[in-house]
Amino acid sequence: MESPSEPSWDFYRTFLAVLQHGSLSAAARDLGLTQPTVGRHIDALEKAVGAELFTRSQQGLLPTDAALALKPYAETLANTAAALLRAASGSKDKVSGTVRISASEVIGTEVLPAILAELQAKYPDLIVELSASDTVEDLLQREADIAVRMVAPAQEALLSRHIGTITLGLFAHRSYIERHGKPETREALRRHKLIGFDRQTAYIRMMRKRYSMLDGVSFSFRSDHSIALHNALRAGIGIGFYQMPLARRDASLVHLLPEIELSLDTWVVMHENLKTSPRCRVTFDALVAGLLTYIKGNNAEEPS
Amino acid sequence: MESPSEPSWDFYRTFLAVLQHGSLSAAARDLGLTQPTVGRHIDALEKAVGAELFTRSQQGLLPTDAALALKPYAETLANTAAALLRAASGSKDKVSGTVRISASEVIGTEVLPAILAELQAKYPDLIVELSASDTVEDLLQREADIAVRMVAPAQEALLSRHIGTITLGLFAHRSYIERHGKPETREALRRHKLIGFDRQTAYIRMMRKRYSMLDGVSFSFRSDHSIALHNALRAGIGIGFYQMPLARRDASLVHLLPEIELSLDTWVVMHENLKTSPRCRVTFDALVAGLLTYIKGNNAEEPS
DNA sequence: CAGATGATATACGTAAATGTATGGAATCAC
DNA sequence: GTGATTCCATACATTTACGTATATCATCTG
């Protein structure tokens, strides 16, 4: 069926490693191979697809357009291979093996650890991989098994559970208020230091839409890193949005202008095929339960 | 990073072949390997994932539950690898290489060949793979590059072009009318032989919804194969739905009860990443243009 | 019931893929 | 500028993986 015989699938793995590391040697180190072997793999793949994939130089390999065009396919292969191994890990009946979770930076770093700690205490053989990033990972491409999402799951073949809305309010650290005073009106905000987003990822663009009420306001501290923003706020650099349930845990944070409120609708999503897997099922349920109790903190209003 | 080193990706290919063919020997023939090699691959993979994948017997290998659970992953790998090779085929500027098209059986067998013949006459280096099936192939999983769909494309990351609606009417072959007479009312239909669908695939389920107006009617000839239905109708077995533009080509088909009409909304869909590929671009445009002229046949009503 | 066919498993020689070692060229540090 | 580092390329040795051949068993065929 194939004309001269399909190239080895291992070549794709090597190809991706070279693409990611930028050199034969670095790729070889990562793969546990040697540099000549990696070079041979690339040679063979180039001959198989009939195109130059890299322009060789002594400080590394520069990918050609053809190589960049193939990159997403190679990434899908890697994701799928990893997902296959995850699916194979652990036994069919017991809760064991690896499950990979994707969540936003804030949720992943501030909220999930406690939930997952409890889960792992209950199931000692369960291995959790947590990807805390504001770039949405694709469940259909098996980049993760379970995701906590702030956007409604549009795709079919995904099993999703609606959690509710996480409310965000304006907060500042006590030390900031002591130094700069407390803004009592929306207009007063313009005279304060505001903390906000920098780069535009898909996730942040969605956030910005909800922030539109403050369009005129300019941020004096920007970062595309949610955690950096959180730390800046807690360090007293300025005023920014903060998840209410999180703020309730930290008495040194002051709630400002309580009438300003944003809400993030939240879902837990899993690939349908995984619902028969005990470890995924159990993790899914734990995330749903944990996030529900987390959200409960929204209802109790904090006195300023 | 990996504990003892990831298994070779080639093992997954071998694994899938064994799963599909049901024996080491058959898989070996398909892959261009030998039976001992395939056996070693399976052994190695079983050891790597730590689970039995097949129960060996002398008349073949029976997949275990674990193997079946891994099958979809292996299939995705195969699809992606094939898509990568397709993407790599041909040069960047010229229209050459392979493009894989998915369409329904009727469209794929009756309509597309003419369109694609013209396309290939224009671009002799273009290789077309046509999958004519009523099971929807997933573009996100790279099972095909371009698809002709009868459902609105919900998923993002897909570039789609709306074609319009294909109208279907009730038809019978002239020979059938001569033998059984021509039904003039909807009630009269109950005394006639009707041709319709059998099994329920996702595609057919969607069709059935549109057929609901005829729910009470029972089909006297059923098949899950659209082409078989077409041929049965043309052979004078009975009355069935037929795409109007197709019926206009065959003078021996008689249009019955013209007030009964169904419509299939039609799209041409392609993965967004492929829009820079000349061969996909050109094929996409040709399909859009060809289907638009095909649909034009709807407007001119045929005298019964 | 005998023979053909097709399946897995094992033994063994060979070819292919990998690793080791070395050379040469570019970049960086001091 | 000189030494250290990092990279790719090449030559050579070795291990690994593959194919061939064969044995054995089950099933289908006449």
Side-chain angles (χ1 to χ4, degrees), chain A residues 190-233:
Chain A
R190 300 187 186 280
R191 296 187 299 273
H192 280 265
K193 288 194 183 297
L194 294 183
I195 294 173
F197 291 114
D198 182 20
R199 208 162 27 115
Q200 298 256 346
T201 68
Y203 183 84
I204 287 169
R205 207 172 302 125
M206 184 259 311
M207 294 285 286
R208 271 202 179 274
K209 275 181 80 172
R210 302 171 191 265
Y211 281 63
S212 59
M213 42 154 58
L214 293 171
D215 251 355
V217 179
S218 68
F219 297 124
S220 61
F221 184 96
R222 293 162 181 260
S223 169
D224 56 341
H225 205 144
S226 305
I227 306 307
L229 293 179
H230 266 68
N231 290 343
L233 195 150

mmCIF file of all heavy atoms in Angstrom, chain A residues 190-233:
data_model
loop_
_atom_site.group_PDB
_atom_site.id
_atom_site.type_symbol
_atom_site.label_atom_id
_atom_site.label_comp_id
_atom_site.label_asym_id
_atom_site.label_seq_id
_atom_site.Cartn_x
_atom_site.Cartn_y
_atom_site.Cartn_z
ATOM 1 N N ARG A 190 -8.779 55.815 39.430
ATOM 2 C CA ARG A 190 -7.852 56.317 38.409
ATOM 3 C C ARG A 190 -6.579 56.889 39.030
ATOM 4 O O ARG A 190 -5.570 57.017 38.364
ATOM 5 C CB ARG A 190 -8.523 57.395 37.560
ATOM 6 C CG ARG A 190 -9.760 56.880 36.836
ATOM 7 C CD ARG A 190 -10.314 57.894 35.865
ATOM 8 N NE ARG A 190 -11.573 57.424 35.301
ATOM 9 C CZ ARG A 190 -11.633 56.533 34.304
ATOM 10 N NH1 ARG A 190 -10.530 56.067 33.791
ATOM 11 N NH2 ARG A 190 -12.803 56.133 33.852
ATOM 12 N N ARG A 191 -6.675 57.258 40.299
ATOM 13 C CA ARG A 191 -5.499 57.819 40.962
ATOM 14 C C ARG A 191 -4.688 56.722 41.668
ATOM 15 O O ARG A 191 -3.754 57.020 42.406
ATOM 16 C CB ARG A 191 -5.932 58.893 41.972
ATOM 17 C CG ARG A 191 -6.594 60.110 41.321
ATOM 18 C CD ARG A 191 -6.836 61.214 42.345
ATOM 19 N NE ARG A 191 -7.719 60.789 43.426
ATOM 20 C CZ ARG A 191 -9.061 60.870 43.361
ATOM 21 N NH1 ARG A 191 -9.646 61.334 42.281
ATOM 22 N NH2 ARG A 191 -9.792 60.486 44.388
ATOM 23 N N HIS A 192 -5.043 55.483 41.447
ATOM 24 C CA HIS A 192 -4.339 54.401 42.138
ATOM 25 C C HIS A 192 -3.546 53.547 41.168
ATOM 26 O O HIS A 192 -3.746 53.598 39.955
ATOM 27 C CB HIS A 192 -5.357 53.527 42.892
ATOM 28 C CG HIS A 192 -5.782 54.145 44.199
ATOM 29 N ND1 HIS A 192 -5.202 53.836 45.389
ATOM 30 C CD2 HIS A 192 -6.738 55.076 44.469
ATOM 31 C CE1 HIS A 192 -5.772 54.526 46.350
ATOM 32 N NE2 HIS A 192 -6.711 55.302 45.817
ATOM 33 N N LYS A 193 -2.681 52.723 41.744
ATOM 34 C CA LYS A 193 -1.891 51.786 40.945
ATOM 35 C C LYS A 193 -2.706 50.518 40.736
ATOM 36 O O LYS A 193 -3.096 49.862 41.709
ATOM 37 C CB LYS A 193 -0.587 51.436 41.675
ATOM 38 C CG LYS A 193 0.430 52.558 41.705
ATOM 39 C CD LYS A 193 1.778 52.016 42.140
ATOM 40 C CE LYS A 193 2.816 53.115 42.259
ATOM 41 N NZ LYS A 193 3.084 53.789 40.972
ATOM 42 N N LEU A 194 -2.916 50.177 39.476
ATOM 43 C CA LEU A 194 -3.706 48.979 39.179
ATOM 44 C C LEU A 194 -2.821 47.891 38.581
ATOM 45 O O LEU A 194 -1.869 48.167 37.864
ATOM 46 C CB LEU A 194 -4.839 49.318 38.218
ATOM 47 C CG LEU A 194 -5.908 50.250 38.805
ATOM 48 C CD1 LEU A 194 -7.032 50.474 37.816
ATOM 49 C CD2 LEU A 194 -6.460 49.665 40.099
ATOM 50 N N ILE A 195 -3.195 46.682 38.897
ATOM 51 C CA ILE A 195 -2.437 45.507 38.452
ATOM 52 C C ILE A 195 -3.279 44.736 37.450
ATOM 53 O O ILE A 195 -4.444 44.449 37.708
ATOM 54 C CB ILE A 195 -2.101 44.612 39.667
ATOM 55 C CG1 ILE A 195 -1.155 45.345 40.601
ATOM 56 C CG2 ILE A 195 -1.519 43.293 39.219
ATOM 57 C CD1 ILE A 195 -0.904 44.600 41.894
ATOM 58 N N GLY A 196 -2.692 44.399 36.312
ATOM 59 C CA GLY A 196 -3.503 43.708 35.302
ATOM 60 C C GLY A 196 -2.686 42.917 34.315
ATOM 61 O O GLY A 196 -1.473 42.770 34.444
ATOM 62 N N PHE A 197 -3.405 42.430 33.297
ATOM 63 C CA PHE A 197 -2.789 41.504 32.352
ATOM 64 C C PHE A 197 -1.964 42.211 31.301
ATOM 65 O O PHE A 197 -2.180 43.364 30.978
ATOM 66 C CB PHE A 197 -3.865 40.666 31.666
ATOM 67 C CG PHE A 197 -4.509 39.709 32.601
ATOM 68 C CD1 PHE A 197 -5.844 39.847 32.935
ATOM 69 C CD2 PHE A 197 -3.771 38.699 33.163
ATOM 70 C CE1 PHE A 197 -6.439 38.957 33.809
ATOM 71 C CE2 PHE A 197 -4.355 37.805 34.035
ATOM 72 C CZ PHE A 197 -5.698 37.941 34.365
ATOM 73 N N ASP A 198 -1.048 41.474 30.763
ATOM 74 C CA ASP A 198 -0.157 42.008 29.744
ATOM 75 C C ASP A 198 -0.479 41.405 28.389
ATOM 76 O O ASP A 198 -1.234 41.952 27.596
ATOM 77 C CB ASP A 198 1.288 41.714 30.135
ATOM 78 C CG ASP A 198 2.275 42.282 29.145
ATOM 79 O OD1 ASP A 198 1.885 43.190 28.394
ATOM 80 O OD2 ASP A 198 3.422 41.814 29.129
ATOM 81 N N ARG A 199 0.088 40.255 28.120
ATOM 82 C CA ARG A 199 -0.052 39.661 26.809
ATOM 83 C C ARG A 199 -1.486 39.174 26.590
ATOM 84 O O ARG A 199 -2.279 39.044 27.501
ATOM 85 C CB ARG A 199 0.925 38.472 26.672
ATOM 86 C CG ARG A 199 1.349 38.227 25.259
ATOM 87 C CD ARG A 199 2.618 37.383 25.223
ATOM 88 N NE ARG A 199 2.777 36.527 26.374
ATOM 89 C CZ ARG A 199 2.756 35.191 26.297
ATOM 90 N NH1 ARG A 199 2.534 34.610 25.157
ATOM 91 N NH2 ARG A 199 2.985 34.464 27.375
ATOM 92 N N GLN A 200 -1.816 38.916 25.344
ATOM 93 C CA GLN A 200 -3.160 38.482 25.011
ATOM 94 C C GLN A 200 -3.162 37.015 24.606
ATOM 95 O O GLN A 200 -2.915 36.682 23.465
ATOM 96 C CB GLN A 200 -3.683 39.319 23.837
ATOM 97 C CG GLN A 200 -3.786 40.800 24.131
ATOM 98 C CD GLN A 200 -5.223 41.234 24.375
ATOM 99 O OE1 GLN A 200 -6.145 40.498 24.075
ATOM 100 N NE2 GLN A 200 -5.394 42.422 24.921
ATOM 101 N N THR A 201 -3.452 36.159 25.539
ATOM 102 C CA THR A 201 -3.693 34.777 25.170
ATOM 103 C C THR A 201 -5.205 34.602 25.042
ATOM 104 O O THR A 201 -5.970 35.501 25.369
ATOM 105 C CB THR A 201 -3.166 33.807 26.232
ATOM 106 O OG1 THR A 201 -3.972 33.955 27.405
ATOM 107 C CG2 THR A 201 -1.730 34.114 26.566
ATOM 108 N N ALA A 202 -5.610 33.448 24.553
ATOM 109 C CA ALA A 202 -7.042 33.198 24.380
ATOM 110 C C ALA A 202 -7.749 33.344 25.723
ATOM 111 O O ALA A 202 -8.829 33.933 25.830
ATOM 112 C CB ALA A 202 -7.267 31.797 23.814
ATOM 113 N N TYR A 203 -7.107 32.854 26.747
ATOM 114 C CA TYR A 203 -7.692 32.888 28.082
ATOM 115 C C TYR A 203 -7.845 34.325 28.569
ATOM 116 O O TYR A 203 -8.883 34.738 29.072
ATOM 117 C CB TYR A 203 -6.790 32.105 29.025
ATOM 118 C CG TYR A 203 -7.304 31.994 30.436
ATOM 119 C CD1 TYR A 203 -8.221 31.007 30.783
ATOM 120 C CD2 TYR A 203 -6.875 32.863 31.421
ATOM 121 C CE1 TYR A 203 -8.695 30.902 32.066
ATOM 122 C CE2 TYR A 203 -7.339 32.769 32.720
ATOM 123 C CZ TYR A 203 -8.254 31.785 33.031
ATOM 124 O OH TYR A 203 -8.720 31.677 34.312
ATOM 125 N N ILE A 204 -6.789 35.097 28.353
ATOM 126 C CA ILE A 204 -6.783 36.464 28.865
ATOM 127 C C ILE A 204 -7.729 37.340 28.061
ATOM 128 O O ILE A 204 -8.360 38.254 28.590
ATOM 129 C CB ILE A 204 -5.335 37.002 28.829
ATOM 130 C CG1 ILE A 204 -4.542 36.319 29.943
ATOM 131 C CG2 ILE A 204 -5.302 38.503 28.974
ATOM 132 C CD1 ILE A 204 -3.072 36.551 29.869
ATOM 133 N N ARG A 205 -7.859 37.031 26.783
ATOM 134 C CA ARG A 205 -8.778 37.813 25.965
ATOM 135 C C ARG A 205 -10.198 37.667 26.496
ATOM 136 O O ARG A 205 -10.971 38.620 26.545
ATOM 137 C CB ARG A 205 -8.688 37.336 24.506
ATOM 138 C CG ARG A 205 -9.047 38.409 23.497
ATOM 139 C CD ARG A 205 -8.764 37.947 22.082
ATOM 140 N NE ARG A 205 -7.358 37.584 21.882
ATOM 141 C CZ ARG A 205 -6.965 36.417 21.414
ATOM 142 N NH1 ARG A 205 -7.835 35.496 21.091
ATOM 143 N NH2 ARG A 205 -5.666 36.175 21.261
ATOM 144 N N MET A 206 -10.492 36.449 26.924
ATOM 145 C CA MET A 206 -11.800 36.207 27.512
ATOM 146 C C MET A 206 -11.953 36.998 28.807
ATOM 147 O O MET A 206 -12.998 37.594 29.067
ATOM 148 C CB MET A 206 -11.915 34.696 27.765
ATOM 149 C CG MET A 206 -13.240 34.219 28.300
ATOM 150 S SD MET A 206 -13.216 33.906 30.070
ATOM 151 C CE MET A 206 -11.743 32.903 30.236
ATOM 152 N N MET A 207 -10.896 37.033 29.589
ATOM 153 C CA MET A 207 -10.938 37.800 30.830
ATOM 154 C C MET A 207 -11.170 39.285 30.542
ATOM 155 O O MET A 207 -11.972 39.951 31.190
ATOM 156 C CB MET A 207 -9.617 37.644 31.589
ATOM 157 C CG MET A 207 -9.341 36.251 32.096
ATOM 158 S SD MET A 207 -10.356 35.855 33.537
ATOM 159 C CE MET A 207 -9.526 36.849 34.790
ATOM 160 N N ARG A 208 -10.473 39.775 29.548
ATOM 161 C CA ARG A 208 -10.548 41.195 29.235
ATOM 162 C C ARG A 208 -11.973 41.622 28.907
ATOM 163 O O ARG A 208 -12.397 42.724 29.219
ATOM 164 C CB ARG A 208 -9.639 41.525 28.043
ATOM 165 C CG ARG A 208 -8.230 41.878 28.456
ATOM 166 C CD ARG A 208 -7.544 42.702 27.372
ATOM 167 N NE ARG A 208 -6.198 43.048 27.791
ATOM 168 C CZ ARG A 208 -5.922 44.112 28.523
ATOM 169 N NH1 ARG A 208 -6.888 44.923 28.891
ATOM 170 N NH2 ARG A 208 -4.681 44.355 28.877
ATOM 171 N N LYS A 209 -12.700 40.740 28.247
ATOM 172 C CA LYS A 209 -14.066 41.083 27.889
ATOM 173 C C LYS A 209 -14.879 41.365 29.144
ATOM 174 O O LYS A 209 -15.711 42.255 29.177
ATOM 175 C CB LYS A 209 -14.705 39.930 27.105
ATOM 176 C CG LYS A 209 -14.401 39.977 25.624
ATOM 177 C CD LYS A 209 -15.056 38.840 24.884
ATOM 178 C CE LYS A 209 -16.525 39.096 24.592
ATOM 179 N NZ LYS A 209 -17.074 38.046 23.705
ATOM 180 N N ARG A 210 -14.602 40.593 30.162
ATOM 181 C CA ARG A 210 -15.334 40.788 31.405
ATOM 182 C C ARG A 210 -14.841 42.018 32.159
ATOM 183 O O ARG A 210 -15.524 42.556 32.999
ATOM 184 C CB ARG A 210 -15.159 39.556 32.300
ATOM 185 C CG ARG A 210 -15.637 38.283 31.626
ATOM 186 C CD ARG A 210 -15.239 37.080 32.457
ATOM 187 N NE ARG A 210 -15.449 35.847 31.713
ATOM 188 C CZ ARG A 210 -16.553 35.107 31.820
ATOM 189 N NH1 ARG A 210 -17.496 35.465 32.637
ATOM 190 N NH2 ARG A 210 -16.686 34.010 31.114
ATOM 191 N N TYR A 211 -13.637 42.430 31.856
ATOM 192 C CA TYR A 211 -13.050 43.585 32.518
ATOM 193 C C TYR A 211 -13.440 44.877 31.808
ATOM 194 O O TYR A 211 -12.935 45.926 32.120
ATOM 195 C CB TYR A 211 -11.519 43.487 32.528
ATOM 196 C CG TYR A 211 -10.933 42.574 33.574
ATOM 197 C CD1 TYR A 211 -11.199 41.223 33.578
ATOM 198 C CD2 TYR A 211 -10.117 43.091 34.579
ATOM 199 C CE1 TYR A 211 -10.669 40.390 34.526
ATOM 200 C CE2 TYR A 211 -9.569 42.266 35.534
ATOM 201 C CZ TYR A 211 -9.856 40.905 35.508
ATOM 202 O OH TYR A 211 -9.305 40.097 36.459
ATOM 203 N N SER A 212 -14.294 44.785 30.786
ATOM 204 C CA SER A 212 -14.516 45.930 29.907
ATOM 205 C C SER A 212 -15.057 47.125 30.680
ATOM 206 O O SER A 212 -14.849 48.265 30.282
ATOM 207 C CB SER A 212 -15.488 45.539 28.795
ATOM 208 O OG SER A 212 -16.704 45.116 29.385
ATOM 209 N N MET A 213 -15.717 46.888 31.774
ATOM 210 C CA MET A 213 -16.252 47.995 32.567
ATOM 211 C C MET A 213 -15.138 48.944 33.017
ATOM 212 O O MET A 213 -15.404 50.092 33.330
ATOM 213 C CB MET A 213 -16.970 47.437 33.796
ATOM 214 C CG MET A 213 -16.205 46.292 34.442
ATOM 215 S SD MET A 213 -16.549 46.077 36.182
ATOM 216 C CE MET A 213 -18.306 45.826 36.200
ATOM 217 N N LEU A 214 -13.940 48.469 32.990
ATOM 218 C CA LEU A 214 -12.828 49.299 33.450
ATOM 219 C C LEU A 214 -11.914 49.684 32.301
ATOM 220 O O LEU A 214 -10.715 49.878 32.483
ATOM 221 C CB LEU A 214 -12.024 48.548 34.508
ATOM 222 C CG LEU A 214 -12.762 48.315 35.816
ATOM 223 C CD1 LEU A 214 -11.976 47.370 36.709
ATOM 224 C CD2 LEU A 214 -13.022 49.625 36.532
ATOM 225 N N ASP A 215 -12.489 49.792 31.118
ATOM 226 C CA ASP A 215 -11.672 49.963 29.932
ATOM 227 C C ASP A 215 -10.759 51.183 29.995
ATOM 228 O O ASP A 215 -9.614 51.132 29.582
ATOM 229 C CB ASP A 215 -12.560 50.064 28.694
ATOM 230 C CG ASP A 215 -12.425 48.810 27.851
ATOM 231 O OD1 ASP A 215 -11.583 47.979 28.223
ATOM 232 O OD2 ASP A 215 -13.148 48.687 26.860
ATOM 233 N N GLY A 216 -11.281 52.284 30.520
ATOM 234 C CA GLY A 216 -10.486 53.504 30.553
ATOM 235 C C GLY A 216 -9.287 53.401 31.476
ATOM 236 O O GLY A 216 -8.283 54.082 31.297
ATOM 237 N N VAL A 217 -9.365 52.512 32.443
ATOM 238 C CA VAL A 217 -8.320 52.415 33.455
ATOM 239 C C VAL A 217 -7.053 51.805 32.842
ATOM 240 O O VAL A 217 -7.120 50.844 32.082
ATOM 241 C CB VAL A 217 -8.807 51.548 34.625
ATOM 242 C CG1 VAL A 217 -7.720 51.420 35.675
ATOM 243 C CG2 VAL A 217 -10.067 52.136 35.216
ATOM 244 N N SER A 218 -5.907 52.364 33.184
ATOM 245 C CA SER A 218 -4.663 51.784 32.681
ATOM 246 C C SER A 218 -3.924 51.091 33.822
ATOM 247 O O SER A 218 -3.865 51.593 34.940
ATOM 248 C CB SER A 218 -3.788 52.880 32.076
ATOM 249 O OG SER A 218 -3.342 53.742 33.099
ATOM 250 N N PHE A 219 -3.370 49.977 33.513
ATOM 251 C CA PHE A 219 -2.666 49.208 34.526
ATOM 252 C C PHE A 219 -1.253 49.745 34.692
ATOM 253 O O PHE A 219 -0.560 49.993 33.712
ATOM 254 C CB PHE A 219 -2.614 47.729 34.135
ATOM 255 C CG PHE A 219 -3.964 47.092 34.037
ATOM 256 C CD1 PHE A 219 -4.370 46.469 32.871
ATOM 257 C CD2 PHE A 219 -4.831 47.125 35.122
ATOM 258 C CE1 PHE A 219 -5.615 45.871 32.789
ATOM 259 C CE2 PHE A 219 -6.082 46.526 35.035
ATOM 260 C CZ PHE A 219 -6.476 45.909 33.866
ATOM 261 N N SER A 220 -0.810 49.890 35.921
ATOM 262 C CA SER A 220 0.545 50.378 36.148
ATOM 263 C C SER A 220 1.497 49.219 36.413
ATOM 264 O O SER A 220 2.689 49.389 36.480
ATOM 265 C CB SER A 220 0.573 51.362 37.329
ATOM 266 O OG SER A 220 0.144 50.712 38.494
ATOM 267 N N PHE A 221 0.947 48.024 36.590
ATOM 268 C CA PHE A 221 1.787 46.830 36.713
ATOM 269 C C PHE A 221 1.144 45.753 35.861
ATOM 270 O O PHE A 221 -0.003 45.387 36.062
ATOM 271 C CB PHE A 221 1.868 46.378 38.171
ATOM 272 C CG PHE A 221 2.783 45.203 38.392
ATOM 273 C CD1 PHE A 221 4.093 45.408 38.797
ATOM 274 C CD2 PHE A 221 2.331 43.901 38.196
ATOM 275 C CE1 PHE A 221 4.937 44.326 39.009
ATOM 276 C CE2 PHE A 221 3.165 42.828 38.396
ATOM 277 C CZ PHE A 221 4.473 43.040 38.799
ATOM 278 N N ARG A 222 1.908 45.281 34.884
ATOM 279 C CA ARG A 222 1.342 44.290 33.980
ATOM 280 C C ARG A 222 2.185 43.033 33.983
ATOM 281 O O ARG A 222 3.407 43.099 34.106
ATOM 282 C CB ARG A 222 1.323 44.816 32.542
ATOM 283 C CG ARG A 222 0.399 45.975 32.289
ATOM 284 C CD ARG A 222 0.811 46.652 30.989
ATOM 285 N NE ARG A 222 -0.020 47.796 30.701
ATOM 286 C CZ ARG A 222 -1.032 47.772 29.834
ATOM 287 N NH1 ARG A 222 -1.312 46.667 29.182
ATOM 288 N NH2 ARG A 222 -1.745 48.847 29.626
ATOM 289 N N SER A 223 1.529 41.922 33.800
ATOM 290 C CA SER A 223 2.242 40.676 33.588
ATOM 291 C C SER A 223 1.293 39.703 32.916
ATOM 292 O O SER A 223 0.079 39.786 33.095
ATOM 293 C CB SER A 223 2.737 40.103 34.919
ATOM 294 O OG SER A 223 3.202 38.781 34.713
ATOM 295 N N ASP A 224 1.837 38.810 32.132
ATOM 296 C CA ASP A 224 0.989 37.781 31.559
ATOM 297 C C ASP A 224 0.976 36.559 32.460
ATOM 298 O O ASP A 224 0.466 35.522 32.100
ATOM 299 C CB ASP A 224 1.482 37.412 30.157
ATOM 300 C CG ASP A 224 2.931 36.993 30.177
ATOM 301 O OD1 ASP A 224 3.614 37.333 31.157
ATOM 302 O OD2 ASP A 224 3.379 36.348 29.227
ATOM 303 N N HIS A 225 1.557 36.692 33.614
ATOM 304 C CA HIS A 225 1.671 35.574 34.533
ATOM 305 C C HIS A 225 0.735 35.827 35.714
ATOM 306 O O HIS A 225 0.976 36.722 36.518
ATOM 307 C CB HIS A 225 3.121 35.461 35.007
ATOM 308 C CG HIS A 225 3.484 34.079 35.440
ATOM 309 N ND1 HIS A 225 4.723 33.547 35.226
ATOM 310 C CD2 HIS A 225 2.765 33.128 36.050
ATOM 311 C CE1 HIS A 225 4.751 32.322 35.710
ATOM 312 N NE2 HIS A 225 3.566 32.060 36.217
ATOM 313 N N SER A 226 -0.302 35.029 35.820
ATOM 314 C CA SER A 226 -1.302 35.261 36.856
ATOM 315 C C SER A 226 -0.694 35.244 38.244
ATOM 316 O O SER A 226 -1.071 36.035 39.114
ATOM 317 C CB SER A 226 -2.382 34.183 36.783
ATOM 318 O OG SER A 226 -2.935 34.126 35.506
ATOM 319 N N ILE A 227 0.242 34.357 38.470
ATOM 320 C CA ILE A 227 0.828 34.226 39.805
ATOM 321 C C ILE A 227 1.641 35.467 40.152
ATOM 322 O O ILE A 227 1.608 35.961 41.291
ATOM 323 C CB ILE A 227 1.722 32.975 39.873
ATOM 324 C CG1 ILE A 227 0.922 31.753 39.431
ATOM 325 C CG2 ILE A 227 2.253 32.787 41.280
ATOM 326 C CD1 ILE A 227 -0.370 31.564 40.170
ATOM 327 N N ALA A 228 2.338 35.992 39.163
ATOM 328 C CA ALA A 228 3.086 37.231 39.390
ATOM 329 C C ALA A 228 2.134 38.343 39.806
ATOM 330 O O ALA A 228 2.435 39.139 40.701
ATOM 331 C CB ALA A 228 3.849 37.623 38.136
ATOM 332 N N LEU A 229 0.983 38.395 39.160
ATOM 333 C CA LEU A 229 -0.014 39.406 39.529
ATOM 334 C C LEU A 229 -0.475 39.205 40.968
ATOM 335 O O LEU A 229 -0.569 40.158 41.737
ATOM 336 C CB LEU A 229 -1.210 39.318 38.582
ATOM 337 C CG LEU A 229 -0.946 39.696 37.124
ATOM 338 C CD1 LEU A 229 -2.208 39.531 36.304
ATOM 339 C CD2 LEU A 229 -0.430 41.110 37.034
ATOM 340 N N HIS A 230 -0.753 37.965 41.306
ATOM 341 C CA HIS A 230 -1.195 37.670 42.670
ATOM 342 C C HIS A 230 -0.145 38.114 43.678
ATOM 343 O O HIS A 230 -0.459 38.762 44.680
ATOM 344 C CB HIS A 230 -1.451 36.161 42.807
ATOM 345 C CG HIS A 230 -2.869 35.794 42.581
ATOM 346 N ND1 HIS A 230 -3.467 35.903 41.350
ATOM 347 C CD2 HIS A 230 -3.836 35.329 43.420
ATOM 348 C CE1 HIS A 230 -4.734 35.508 41.443
ATOM 349 N NE2 HIS A 230 -4.982 35.149 42.682
ATOM 350 N N ASN A 231 1.087 37.763 43.412
ATOM 351 C CA ASN A 231 2.149 38.093 44.357
ATOM 352 C C ASN A 231 2.356 39.597 44.435
ATOM 353 O O ASN A 231 2.625 40.146 45.505
ATOM 354 C CB ASN A 231 3.444 37.395 43.952
ATOM 355 C CG ASN A 231 3.346 35.900 44.175
ATOM 356 O OD1 ASN A 231 2.470 35.436 44.905
ATOM 357 N ND2 ASN A 231 4.235 35.158 43.529
ATOM 358 N N ALA A 232 2.234 40.271 43.273
ATOM 359 C CA ALA A 232 2.377 41.722 43.270
ATOM 360 C C ALA A 232 1.303 42.353 44.157
ATOM 361 O O ALA A 232 1.572 43.277 44.931
ATOM 362 C CB ALA A 232 2.274 42.250 41.842
ATOM 363 N N LEU A 233 0.103 41.804 44.025
ATOM 364 C CA LEU A 233 -0.999 42.357 44.823
ATOM 365 C C LEU A 233 -0.736 42.128 46.303
ATOM 366 O O LEU A 233 -0.887 43.028 47.126
ATOM 367 C CB LEU A 233 -2.311 41.693 44.386
ATOM 368 C CG LEU A 233 -3.606 42.357 44.835
ATOM 369 C CD1 LEU A 233 -4.698 42.109 43.813
ATOM 370 C CD2 LEU A 233 -4.056 41.823 46.196
#
